[in-house]
Amino acid sequence: MADRKANAEWHGGLKDGKGKLALGSGLFEGAYSFATRFEDEPGTNPEELLGASLASCYAMALNATLEGGGTPAKSVAIEANVHLGKDDSGFVVKGIDLDAKAEVDGLDDAAFQEIAEKVKTTCPISKALGATKITLNAKLA
């Protein structure tokens, strides 16, 4: 299996500093800062990237599971909402909400819900986020 890389830099203080991150593939490079993470300044942040990782992993795993069960999806769309907050130790990802919509012929809602919940705990990124509460709202389109 392949190893994947990413890198990040940070220059300056917490509130006035600037950072840059890049995917090892070279397909994405972006700026981040205190304001892009904790305020509404344009740019990226670690939580957004975490959400993208989980959403894309979940979409592929859900599709693969449906296909393996003989009911391939026509489409799968996932949105991840990552909740950053604080606790006694400082900033923490308090949870991630996944909204999943899939168009699947020949599968009833009860069977879809069972598959969707199973995939939530078995996709590799979900496993890596084992300490994070992940909720799922899954719907057949």
Side-chain angles (χ1 to χ4, degrees), residues 27-70:
L27 292 176
F28 175 79
E29 185 176 298
Y32 70 107
S33 67
F34 183 88
T36 66
R37 191 168 190 192
F38 300 106
E39 299 169 4
D40 290 327
E41 184 176 304
T44 193
N45 57 70
E47 292 74 31
E48 181 177 66
L49 296 167
L50 184 66
S53 293
L54 179 57
S56 58
C57 183
Y58 183 85
M60 287 182 75
L62 180 59
N63 187 62
T65 302
L66 290 165
E67 186 176 12

PDB file of all heavy atoms in Angstrom, residues 27-70:
ATOM      1  N   LEU A  27      -1.133  18.617  -5.875  1.00  0.00           N
ATOM      2  CA  LEU A  27      -2.426  19.049  -6.399  1.00  0.00           C
ATOM      3  C   LEU A  27      -3.083  20.159  -5.592  1.00  0.00           C
ATOM      4  O   LEU A  27      -4.032  20.782  -6.063  1.00  0.00           O
ATOM      5  CB  LEU A  27      -3.384  17.859  -6.503  1.00  0.00           C
ATOM      6  CG  LEU A  27      -3.000  16.821  -7.551  1.00  0.00           C
ATOM      7  CD1 LEU A  27      -3.950  15.633  -7.502  1.00  0.00           C
ATOM      8  CD2 LEU A  27      -2.992  17.451  -8.937  1.00  0.00           C
ATOM      9  N   PHE A  28      -2.593  20.399  -4.384  1.00  0.00           N
ATOM     10  CA  PHE A  28      -3.169  21.474  -3.578  1.00  0.00           C
ATOM     11  C   PHE A  28      -2.094  22.103  -2.722  1.00  0.00           C
ATOM     12  O   PHE A  28      -1.271  21.414  -2.123  1.00  0.00           O
ATOM     13  CB  PHE A  28      -4.289  20.959  -2.662  1.00  0.00           C
ATOM     14  CG  PHE A  28      -4.825  22.018  -1.738  1.00  0.00           C
ATOM     15  CD1 PHE A  28      -5.733  22.962  -2.190  1.00  0.00           C
ATOM     16  CD2 PHE A  28      -4.395  22.107  -0.420  1.00  0.00           C
ATOM     17  CE1 PHE A  28      -6.212  23.961  -1.347  1.00  0.00           C
ATOM     18  CE2 PHE A  28      -4.872  23.093   0.433  1.00  0.00           C
ATOM     19  CZ  PHE A  28      -5.785  24.020  -0.040  1.00  0.00           C
ATOM     20  N   GLU A  29      -2.117  23.413  -2.666  1.00  0.00           N
ATOM     21  CA  GLU A  29      -1.285  24.181  -1.760  1.00  0.00           C
ATOM     22  C   GLU A  29      -2.135  25.345  -1.278  1.00  0.00           C
ATOM     23  O   GLU A  29      -2.845  25.958  -2.072  1.00  0.00           O
ATOM     24  CB  GLU A  29      -0.045  24.700  -2.478  1.00  0.00           C
ATOM     25  CG  GLU A  29       0.929  25.417  -1.568  1.00  0.00           C
ATOM     26  CD  GLU A  29       2.195  25.822  -2.294  1.00  0.00           C
ATOM     27  OE1 GLU A  29       2.904  24.930  -2.780  1.00  0.00           O
ATOM     28  OE2 GLU A  29       2.452  27.038  -2.369  1.00  0.00           O
ATOM     29  N   GLY A  30      -2.119  25.622   0.000  1.00  0.00           N
ATOM     30  CA  GLY A  30      -2.949  26.698   0.516  1.00  0.00           C
ATOM     31  C   GLY A  30      -2.342  27.384   1.715  1.00  0.00           C
ATOM     32  O   GLY A  30      -1.485  26.845   2.411  1.00  0.00           O
ATOM     33  N   ALA A  31      -2.829  28.590   1.938  1.00  0.00           N
ATOM     34  CA  ALA A  31      -2.394  29.386   3.077  1.00  0.00           C
ATOM     35  C   ALA A  31      -3.356  29.167   4.240  1.00  0.00           C
ATOM     36  O   ALA A  31      -4.548  28.944   4.038  1.00  0.00           O
ATOM     37  CB  ALA A  31      -2.368  30.860   2.697  1.00  0.00           C
ATOM     38  N   TYR A  32      -2.812  29.233   5.438  1.00  0.00           N
ATOM     39  CA  TYR A  32      -3.643  29.187   6.635  1.00  0.00           C
ATOM     40  C   TYR A  32      -3.073  30.136   7.669  1.00  0.00           C
ATOM     41  O   TYR A  32      -1.908  30.500   7.627  1.00  0.00           O
ATOM     42  CB  TYR A  32      -3.806  27.761   7.164  1.00  0.00           C
ATOM     43  CG  TYR A  32      -2.571  27.126   7.774  1.00  0.00           C
ATOM     44  CD1 TYR A  32      -2.484  26.948   9.148  1.00  0.00           C
ATOM     45  CD2 TYR A  32      -1.519  26.687   6.993  1.00  0.00           C
ATOM     46  CE1 TYR A  32      -1.366  26.350   9.721  1.00  0.00           C
ATOM     47  CE2 TYR A  32      -0.404  26.086   7.543  1.00  0.00           C
ATOM     48  CZ  TYR A  32      -0.339  25.918   8.910  1.00  0.00           C
ATOM     49  OH  TYR A  32       0.764  25.334   9.477  1.00  0.00           O
ATOM     50  N   SER A  33      -3.950  30.563   8.571  1.00  0.00           N
ATOM     51  CA  SER A  33      -3.554  31.507   9.603  1.00  0.00           C
ATOM     52  C   SER A  33      -4.527  31.383  10.772  1.00  0.00           C
ATOM     53  O   SER A  33      -5.501  30.623  10.702  1.00  0.00           O
ATOM     54  CB  SER A  33      -3.602  32.946   9.050  1.00  0.00           C
ATOM     55  OG  SER A  33      -4.942  33.315   8.773  1.00  0.00           O
ATOM     56  N   PHE A  34      -4.260  32.143  11.815  1.00  0.00           N
ATOM     57  CA  PHE A  34      -5.200  32.180  12.936  1.00  0.00           C
ATOM     58  C   PHE A  34      -6.579  32.592  12.438  1.00  0.00           C
ATOM     59  O   PHE A  34      -7.595  32.006  12.794  1.00  0.00           O
ATOM     60  CB  PHE A  34      -4.700  33.163  14.007  1.00  0.00           C
ATOM     61  CG  PHE A  34      -5.559  33.207  15.228  1.00  0.00           C
ATOM     62  CD1 PHE A  34      -5.337  32.338  16.282  1.00  0.00           C
ATOM     63  CD2 PHE A  34      -6.613  34.111  15.326  1.00  0.00           C
ATOM     64  CE1 PHE A  34      -6.146  32.370  17.420  1.00  0.00           C
ATOM     65  CE2 PHE A  34      -7.423  34.153  16.447  1.00  0.00           C
ATOM     66  CZ  PHE A  34      -7.188  33.275  17.504  1.00  0.00           C
ATOM     67  N   ALA A  35      -6.615  33.602  11.565  1.00  0.00           N
ATOM     68  CA  ALA A  35      -7.897  34.128  11.084  1.00  0.00           C
ATOM     69  C   ALA A  35      -8.637  33.144  10.179  1.00  0.00           C
ATOM     70  O   ALA A  35      -9.864  33.112  10.171  1.00  0.00           O
ATOM     71  CB  ALA A  35      -7.675  35.451  10.357  1.00  0.00           C
ATOM     72  N   THR A  36      -7.909  32.316   9.409  1.00  0.00           N
ATOM     73  CA  THR A  36      -8.611  31.328   8.568  1.00  0.00           C
ATOM     74  C   THR A  36      -9.101  30.149   9.392  1.00  0.00           C
ATOM     75  O   THR A  36     -10.010  29.441   8.975  1.00  0.00           O
ATOM     76  CB  THR A  36      -7.726  30.803   7.418  1.00  0.00           C
ATOM     77  OG1 THR A  36      -6.627  30.057   7.942  1.00  0.00           O
ATOM     78  CG2 THR A  36      -7.243  31.929   6.534  1.00  0.00           C
ATOM     79  N   ARG A  37      -8.503  29.981  10.545  1.00  0.00           N
ATOM     80  CA  ARG A  37      -8.900  28.859  11.397  1.00  0.00           C
ATOM     81  C   ARG A  37      -9.977  29.231  12.403  1.00  0.00           C
ATOM     82  O   ARG A  37     -10.920  28.480  12.622  1.00  0.00           O
ATOM     83  CB  ARG A  37      -7.675  28.322  12.138  1.00  0.00           C
ATOM     84  CG  ARG A  37      -7.951  27.013  12.834  1.00  0.00           C
ATOM     85  CD  ARG A  37      -6.693  26.362  13.318  1.00  0.00           C
ATOM     86  NE  ARG A  37      -6.989  25.002  13.761  1.00  0.00           N
ATOM     87  CZ  ARG A  37      -6.139  24.262  14.437  1.00  0.00           C
ATOM     88  NH1 ARG A  37      -4.938  24.714  14.705  1.00  0.00           N
ATOM     89  NH2 ARG A  37      -6.496  23.056  14.812  1.00  0.00           N
ATOM     90  N   PHE A  38      -9.843  30.375  13.025  1.00  0.00           N
ATOM     91  CA  PHE A  38     -10.740  30.743  14.115  1.00  0.00           C
ATOM     92  C   PHE A  38     -11.692  31.886  13.783  1.00  0.00           C
ATOM     93  O   PHE A  38     -12.555  32.215  14.584  1.00  0.00           O
ATOM     94  CB  PHE A  38      -9.936  31.095  15.365  1.00  0.00           C
ATOM     95  CG  PHE A  38      -9.075  29.956  15.846  1.00  0.00           C
ATOM     96  CD1 PHE A  38      -7.706  29.969  15.657  1.00  0.00           C
ATOM     97  CD2 PHE A  38      -9.645  28.858  16.467  1.00  0.00           C
ATOM     98  CE1 PHE A  38      -6.911  28.912  16.095  1.00  0.00           C
ATOM     99  CE2 PHE A  38      -8.863  27.797  16.902  1.00  0.00           C
ATOM    100  CZ  PHE A  38      -7.494  27.823  16.712  1.00  0.00           C
ATOM    101  N   GLU A  39     -11.500  32.498  12.632  1.00  0.00           N
ATOM    102  CA  GLU A  39     -12.363  33.595  12.194  1.00  0.00           C
ATOM    103  C   GLU A  39     -12.863  33.265  10.787  1.00  0.00           C
ATOM    104  O   GLU A  39     -12.877  32.096  10.421  1.00  0.00           O
ATOM    105  CB  GLU A  39     -11.574  34.908  12.259  1.00  0.00           C
ATOM    106  CG  GLU A  39     -11.108  35.241  13.680  1.00  0.00           C
ATOM    107  CD  GLU A  39     -10.114  36.385  13.744  1.00  0.00           C
ATOM    108  OE1 GLU A  39      -9.814  36.997  12.700  1.00  0.00           O
ATOM    109  OE2 GLU A  39      -9.620  36.658  14.856  1.00  0.00           O
ATOM    110  N   ASP A  40     -13.263  34.252  10.018  1.00  0.00           N
ATOM    111  CA  ASP A  40     -13.846  33.997   8.706  1.00  0.00           C
ATOM    112  C   ASP A  40     -12.993  34.466   7.541  1.00  0.00           C
ATOM    113  O   ASP A  40     -13.497  34.662   6.435  1.00  0.00           O
ATOM    114  CB  ASP A  40     -15.238  34.656   8.616  1.00  0.00           C
ATOM    115  CG  ASP A  40     -16.264  33.970   9.496  1.00  0.00           C
ATOM    116  OD1 ASP A  40     -16.165  32.739   9.660  1.00  0.00           O
ATOM    117  OD2 ASP A  40     -17.147  34.659  10.014  1.00  0.00           O
ATOM    118  N   GLU A  41     -11.704  34.638   7.743  1.00  0.00           N
ATOM    119  CA  GLU A  41     -10.828  35.059   6.652  1.00  0.00           C
ATOM    120  C   GLU A  41     -10.705  33.929   5.630  1.00  0.00           C
ATOM    121  O   GLU A  41     -10.610  32.756   5.998  1.00  0.00           O
ATOM    122  CB  GLU A  41      -9.447  35.418   7.197  1.00  0.00           C
ATOM    123  CG  GLU A  41      -8.506  35.948   6.140  1.00  0.00           C
ATOM    124  CD  GLU A  41      -7.182  36.397   6.731  1.00  0.00           C
ATOM    125  OE1 GLU A  41      -7.200  37.253   7.640  1.00  0.00           O
ATOM    126  OE2 GLU A  41      -6.143  35.895   6.281  1.00  0.00           O
ATOM    127  N   PRO A  42     -10.696  34.253   4.336  1.00  0.00           N
ATOM    128  CA  PRO A  42     -10.531  33.212   3.311  1.00  0.00           C
ATOM    129  C   PRO A  42      -9.198  32.490   3.465  1.00  0.00           C
ATOM    130  O   PRO A  42      -8.183  33.099   3.783  1.00  0.00           O
ATOM    131  CB  PRO A  42     -10.568  33.994   1.998  1.00  0.00           C
ATOM    132  CG  PRO A  42     -11.275  35.270   2.319  1.00  0.00           C
ATOM    133  CD  PRO A  42     -10.922  35.576   3.753  1.00  0.00           C
ATOM    134  N   GLY A  43      -9.215  31.224   3.224  1.00  0.00           N
ATOM    135  CA  GLY A  43      -8.039  30.368   3.344  1.00  0.00           C
ATOM    136  C   GLY A  43      -8.479  29.032   3.887  1.00  0.00           C
ATOM    137  O   GLY A  43      -9.661  28.788   4.111  1.00  0.00           O
ATOM    138  N   THR A  44      -7.556  28.165   4.092  1.00  0.00           N
ATOM    139  CA  THR A  44      -7.909  26.842   4.587  1.00  0.00           C
ATOM    140  C   THR A  44      -7.536  26.700   6.065  1.00  0.00           C
ATOM    141  O   THR A  44      -7.065  27.637   6.688  1.00  0.00           O
ATOM    142  CB  THR A  44      -7.266  25.733   3.733  1.00  0.00           C
ATOM    143  OG1 THR A  44      -7.879  24.479   4.066  1.00  0.00           O
ATOM    144  CG2 THR A  44      -5.765  25.648   3.930  1.00  0.00           C
ATOM    145  N   ASN A  45      -7.780  25.518   6.610  1.00  0.00           N
ATOM    146  CA  ASN A  45      -7.455  25.232   8.004  1.00  0.00           C
ATOM    147  C   ASN A  45      -7.432  23.721   8.203  1.00  0.00           C
ATOM    148  O   ASN A  45      -7.963  22.974   7.378  1.00  0.00           O
ATOM    149  CB  ASN A  45      -8.453  25.914   8.945  1.00  0.00           C
ATOM    150  CG  ASN A  45      -9.869  25.493   8.652  1.00  0.00           C
ATOM    151  OD1 ASN A  45     -10.257  24.361   8.904  1.00  0.00           O
ATOM    152  ND2 ASN A  45     -10.653  26.399   8.081  1.00  0.00           N
ATOM    153  N   PRO A  46      -6.812  23.255   9.274  1.00  0.00           N
ATOM    154  CA  PRO A  46      -6.714  21.820   9.497  1.00  0.00           C
ATOM    155  C   PRO A  46      -8.073  21.108   9.598  1.00  0.00           C
ATOM    156  O   PRO A  46      -8.222  19.983   9.114  1.00  0.00           O
ATOM    157  CB  PRO A  46      -5.938  21.709  10.818  1.00  0.00           C
ATOM    158  CG  PRO A  46      -5.155  22.971  10.888  1.00  0.00           C
ATOM    159  CD  PRO A  46      -6.035  24.016  10.267  1.00  0.00           C
ATOM    160  N   GLU A  47      -9.056  21.770  10.178  1.00  0.00           N
ATOM    161  CA  GLU A  47     -10.365  21.125  10.355  1.00  0.00           C
ATOM    162  C   GLU A  47     -11.058  20.907   9.015  1.00  0.00           C
ATOM    163  O   GLU A  47     -11.695  19.874   8.778  1.00  0.00           O
ATOM    164  CB  GLU A  47     -11.243  21.944  11.303  1.00  0.00           C
ATOM    165  CG  GLU A  47     -10.751  21.951  12.738  1.00  0.00           C
ATOM    166  CD  GLU A  47      -9.514  22.816  12.959  1.00  0.00           C
ATOM    167  OE1 GLU A  47      -9.326  23.831  12.261  1.00  0.00           O
ATOM    168  OE2 GLU A  47      -8.709  22.461  13.847  1.00  0.00           O
ATOM    169  N   GLU A  48     -10.937  21.875   8.118  1.00  0.00           N
ATOM    170  CA  GLU A  48     -11.512  21.747   6.783  1.00  0.00           C
ATOM    171  C   GLU A  48     -10.868  20.567   6.046  1.00  0.00           C
ATOM    172  O   GLU A  48     -11.553  19.780   5.379  1.00  0.00           O
ATOM    173  CB  GLU A  48     -11.266  23.050   6.035  1.00  0.00           C
ATOM    174  CG  GLU A  48     -11.813  23.131   4.646  1.00  0.00           C
ATOM    175  CD  GLU A  48     -11.549  24.506   4.054  1.00  0.00           C
ATOM    176  OE1 GLU A  48     -10.369  24.856   3.825  1.00  0.00           O
ATOM    177  OE2 GLU A  48     -12.538  25.231   3.829  1.00  0.00           O
ATOM    178  N   LEU A  49      -9.565  20.440   6.157  1.00  0.00           N
ATOM    179  CA  LEU A  49      -8.856  19.338   5.511  1.00  0.00           C
ATOM    180  C   LEU A  49      -9.228  18.000   6.132  1.00  0.00           C
ATOM    181  O   LEU A  49      -9.363  16.990   5.435  1.00  0.00           O
ATOM    182  CB  LEU A  49      -7.351  19.575   5.579  1.00  0.00           C
ATOM    183  CG  LEU A  49      -6.875  20.813   4.819  1.00  0.00           C
ATOM    184  CD1 LEU A  49      -5.441  21.155   5.192  1.00  0.00           C
ATOM    185  CD2 LEU A  49      -7.029  20.624   3.325  1.00  0.00           C
ATOM    186  N   LEU A  50      -9.418  17.988   7.442  1.00  0.00           N
ATOM    187  CA  LEU A  50      -9.861  16.777   8.123  1.00  0.00           C
ATOM    188  C   LEU A  50     -11.239  16.358   7.625  1.00  0.00           C
ATOM    189  O   LEU A  50     -11.488  15.183   7.336  1.00  0.00           O
ATOM    190  CB  LEU A  50      -9.890  17.022   9.635  1.00  0.00           C
ATOM    191  CG  LEU A  50     -10.227  15.847  10.524  1.00  0.00           C
ATOM    192  CD1 LEU A  50      -9.146  14.785  10.443  1.00  0.00           C
ATOM    193  CD2 LEU A  50     -10.385  16.330  11.966  1.00  0.00           C
ATOM    194  N   GLY A  51     -12.143  17.337   7.488  1.00  0.00           N
ATOM    195  CA  GLY A  51     -13.478  17.048   6.965  1.00  0.00           C
ATOM    196  C   GLY A  51     -13.427  16.512   5.550  1.00  0.00           C
ATOM    197  O   GLY A  51     -14.143  15.566   5.201  1.00  0.00           O
ATOM    198  N   ALA A  52     -12.578  17.098   4.703  1.00  0.00           N
ATOM    199  CA  ALA A  52     -12.437  16.622   3.328  1.00  0.00           C
ATOM    200  C   ALA A  52     -11.895  15.197   3.301  1.00  0.00           C
ATOM    201  O   ALA A  52     -12.336  14.370   2.489  1.00  0.00           O
ATOM    202  CB  ALA A  52     -11.528  17.555   2.537  1.00  0.00           C
ATOM    203  N   SER A  53     -10.966  14.899   4.184  1.00  0.00           N
ATOM    204  CA  SER A  53     -10.408  13.544   4.253  1.00  0.00           C
ATOM    205  C   SER A  53     -11.475  12.526   4.629  1.00  0.00           C
ATOM    206  O   SER A  53     -11.597  11.472   3.999  1.00  0.00           O
ATOM    207  CB  SER A  53      -9.270  13.481   5.277  1.00  0.00           C
ATOM    208  OG  SER A  53      -8.184  14.243   4.854  1.00  0.00           O
ATOM    209  N   LEU A  54     -12.244  12.855   5.652  1.00  0.00           N
ATOM    210  CA  LEU A  54     -13.281  11.919   6.085  1.00  0.00           C
ATOM    211  C   LEU A  54     -14.374  11.782   5.031  1.00  0.00           C
ATOM    212  O   LEU A  54     -14.809  10.678   4.718  1.00  0.00           O
ATOM    213  CB  LEU A  54     -13.883  12.353   7.425  1.00  0.00           C
ATOM    214  CG  LEU A  54     -15.000  11.467   7.967  1.00  0.00           C
ATOM    215  CD1 LEU A  54     -14.543  10.014   8.133  1.00  0.00           C
ATOM    216  CD2 LEU A  54     -15.527  12.026   9.278  1.00  0.00           C
ATOM    217  N   ALA A  55     -14.821  12.895   4.458  1.00  0.00           N
ATOM    218  CA  ALA A  55     -15.897  12.844   3.465  1.00  0.00           C
ATOM    219  C   ALA A  55     -15.491  12.018   2.246  1.00  0.00           C
ATOM    220  O   ALA A  55     -16.271  11.191   1.759  1.00  0.00           O
ATOM    221  CB  ALA A  55     -16.294  14.257   3.046  1.00  0.00           C
ATOM    222  N   SER A  56     -14.281  12.226   1.756  1.00  0.00           N
ATOM    223  CA  SER A  56     -13.852  11.490   0.569  1.00  0.00           C
ATOM    224  C   SER A  56     -13.630  10.016   0.864  1.00  0.00           C
ATOM    225  O   SER A  56     -13.988   9.143   0.056  1.00  0.00           O
ATOM    226  CB  SER A  56     -12.607  12.126  -0.044  1.00  0.00           C
ATOM    227  OG  SER A  56     -11.539  12.172   0.874  1.00  0.00           O
ATOM    228  N   CYS A  57     -13.074   9.707   2.012  1.00  0.00           N
ATOM    229  CA  CYS A  57     -12.878   8.312   2.401  1.00  0.00           C
ATOM    230  C   CYS A  57     -14.224   7.607   2.564  1.00  0.00           C
ATOM    231  O   CYS A  57     -14.426   6.503   2.059  1.00  0.00           O
ATOM    232  CB  CYS A  57     -12.069   8.238   3.689  1.00  0.00           C
ATOM    233  SG  CYS A  57     -11.689   6.559   4.228  1.00  0.00           S
ATOM    234  N   TYR A  58     -15.136   8.264   3.263  1.00  0.00           N
ATOM    235  CA  TYR A  58     -16.460   7.680   3.492  1.00  0.00           C
ATOM    236  C   TYR A  58     -17.199   7.464   2.171  1.00  0.00           C
ATOM    237  O   TYR A  58     -17.818   6.419   1.957  1.00  0.00           O
ATOM    238  CB  TYR A  58     -17.282   8.557   4.438  1.00  0.00           C
ATOM    239  CG  TYR A  58     -18.622   7.949   4.767  1.00  0.00           C
ATOM    240  CD1 TYR A  58     -18.747   7.018   5.790  1.00  0.00           C
ATOM    241  CD2 TYR A  58     -19.746   8.276   4.032  1.00  0.00           C
ATOM    242  CE1 TYR A  58     -19.972   6.427   6.068  1.00  0.00           C
ATOM    243  CE2 TYR A  58     -20.972   7.697   4.305  1.00  0.00           C
ATOM    244  CZ  TYR A  58     -21.084   6.772   5.321  1.00  0.00           C
ATOM    245  OH  TYR A  58     -22.295   6.186   5.586  1.00  0.00           O
ATOM    246  N   ALA A  59     -17.122   8.427   1.254  1.00  0.00           N
ATOM    247  CA  ALA A  59     -17.806   8.299  -0.037  1.00  0.00           C
ATOM    248  C   ALA A  59     -17.298   7.080  -0.808  1.00  0.00           C
ATOM    249  O   ALA A  59     -18.090   6.297  -1.352  1.00  0.00           O
ATOM    250  CB  ALA A  59     -17.611   9.573  -0.867  1.00  0.00           C
ATOM    251  N   MET A  60     -15.985   6.912  -0.841  1.00  0.00           N
ATOM    252  CA  MET A  60     -15.413   5.758  -1.554  1.00  0.00           C
ATOM    253  C   MET A  60     -15.784   4.448  -0.872  1.00  0.00           C
ATOM    254  O   MET A  60     -16.142   3.472  -1.537  1.00  0.00           O
ATOM    255  CB  MET A  60     -13.895   5.872  -1.628  1.00  0.00           C
ATOM    256  CG  MET A  60     -13.407   6.913  -2.595  1.00  0.00           C
ATOM    257  SD  MET A  60     -11.594   6.956  -2.670  1.00  0.00           S
ATOM    258  CE  MET A  60     -11.287   5.483  -3.640  1.00  0.00           C
ATOM    259  N   ALA A  61     -15.700   4.422   0.457  1.00  0.00           N
ATOM    260  CA  ALA A  61     -15.992   3.189   1.193  1.00  0.00           C
ATOM    261  C   ALA A  61     -17.472   2.815   1.089  1.00  0.00           C
ATOM    262  O   ALA A  61     -17.806   1.637   0.947  1.00  0.00           O
ATOM    263  CB  ALA A  61     -15.581   3.346   2.657  1.00  0.00           C
ATOM    264  N   LEU A  62     -18.359   3.812   1.145  1.00  0.00           N
ATOM    265  CA  LEU A  62     -19.788   3.529   1.009  1.00  0.00           C
ATOM    266  C   LEU A  62     -20.072   2.980  -0.381  1.00  0.00           C
ATOM    267  O   LEU A  62     -20.773   1.983  -0.538  1.00  0.00           O
ATOM    268  CB  LEU A  62     -20.610   4.792   1.275  1.00  0.00           C
ATOM    269  CG  LEU A  62     -22.126   4.637   1.155  1.00  0.00           C
ATOM    270  CD1 LEU A  62     -22.662   3.590   2.133  1.00  0.00           C
ATOM    271  CD2 LEU A  62     -22.810   5.991   1.397  1.00  0.00           C
ATOM    272  N   ASN A  63     -19.515   3.619  -1.397  1.00  0.00           N
ATOM    273  CA  ASN A  63     -19.717   3.149  -2.758  1.00  0.00           C
ATOM    274  C   ASN A  63     -19.185   1.727  -2.937  1.00  0.00           C
ATOM    275  O   ASN A  63     -19.858   0.874  -3.526  1.00  0.00           O
ATOM    276  CB  ASN A  63     -19.043   4.097  -3.753  1.00  0.00           C
ATOM    277  CG  ASN A  63     -19.373   3.737  -5.168  1.00  0.00           C
ATOM    278  OD1 ASN A  63     -20.525   3.767  -5.572  1.00  0.00           O
ATOM    279  ND2 ASN A  63     -18.365   3.375  -5.936  1.00  0.00           N
ATOM    280  N   ALA A  64     -17.997   1.464  -2.424  1.00  0.00           N
ATOM    281  CA  ALA A  64     -17.400   0.132  -2.555  1.00  0.00           C
ATOM    282  C   ALA A  64     -18.236  -0.932  -1.836  1.00  0.00           C
ATOM    283  O   ALA A  64     -18.415  -2.039  -2.346  1.00  0.00           O
ATOM    284  CB  ALA A  64     -15.974   0.136  -2.001  1.00  0.00           C
ATOM    285  N   THR A  65     -18.756  -0.599  -0.671  1.00  0.00           N
ATOM    286  CA  THR A  65     -19.573  -1.551   0.089  1.00  0.00           C
ATOM    287  C   THR A  65     -20.883  -1.832  -0.633  1.00  0.00           C
ATOM    288  O   THR A  65     -21.315  -2.988  -0.717  1.00  0.00           O
ATOM    289  CB  THR A  65     -19.831  -1.015   1.510  1.00  0.00           C
ATOM    290  OG1 THR A  65     -18.571  -0.782   2.150  1.00  0.00           O
ATOM    291  CG2 THR A  65     -20.632  -2.007   2.342  1.00  0.00           C
ATOM    292  N   LEU A  66     -21.509  -0.786  -1.152  1.00  0.00           N
ATOM    293  CA  LEU A  66     -22.751  -0.975  -1.906  1.00  0.00           C
ATOM    294  C   LEU A  66     -22.495  -1.811  -3.158  1.00  0.00           C
ATOM    295  O   LEU A  66     -23.243  -2.744  -3.461  1.00  0.00           O
ATOM    296  CB  LEU A  66     -23.348   0.385  -2.287  1.00  0.00           C
ATOM    297  CG  LEU A  66     -23.923   1.192  -1.134  1.00  0.00           C
ATOM    298  CD1 LEU A  66     -24.149   2.643  -1.548  1.00  0.00           C
ATOM    299  CD2 LEU A  66     -25.211   0.563  -0.612  1.00  0.00           C
ATOM    300  N   GLU A  67     -21.428  -1.502  -3.873  1.00  0.00           N
ATOM    301  CA  GLU A  67     -21.075  -2.254  -5.082  1.00  0.00           C
ATOM    302  C   GLU A  67     -20.782  -3.714  -4.747  1.00  0.00           C
ATOM    303  O   GLU A  67     -21.242  -4.622  -5.442  1.00  0.00           O
ATOM    304  CB  GLU A  67     -19.862  -1.601  -5.746  1.00  0.00           C
ATOM    305  CG  GLU A  67     -19.487  -2.203  -7.066  1.00  0.00           C
ATOM    306  CD  GLU A  67     -18.335  -1.451  -7.726  1.00  0.00           C
ATOM    307  OE1 GLU A  67     -17.675  -0.609  -7.071  1.00  0.00           O
ATOM    308  OE2 GLU A  67     -18.099  -1.710  -8.906  1.00  0.00           O
ATOM    309  N   GLY A  68     -20.034  -3.938  -3.677  1.00  0.00           N
ATOM    310  CA  GLY A  68     -19.711  -5.296  -3.256  1.00  0.00           C
ATOM    311  C   GLY A  68     -20.941  -6.102  -2.867  1.00  0.00           C
ATOM    312  O   GLY A  68     -20.951  -7.328  -2.978  1.00  0.00           O
ATOM    313  N   GLY A  69     -21.985  -5.425  -2.416  1.00  0.00           N
ATOM    314  CA  GLY A  69     -23.229  -6.089  -2.044  1.00  0.00           C
ATOM    315  C   GLY A  69     -24.198  -6.254  -3.200  1.00  0.00           C
ATOM    316  O   GLY A  69     -25.333  -6.699  -3.018  1.00  0.00           O
ATOM    317  N   GLY A  70     -23.765  -5.866  -4.397  1.00  0.00           N
ATOM    318  CA  GLY A  70     -24.606  -6.052  -5.568  1.00  0.00           C
ATOM    319  C   GLY A  70     -25.569  -4.915  -5.862  1.00  0.00           C
ATOM    320  O   GLY A  70     -26.419  -5.025  -6.741  1.00  0.00           O
TER     321      GLY A  70
END
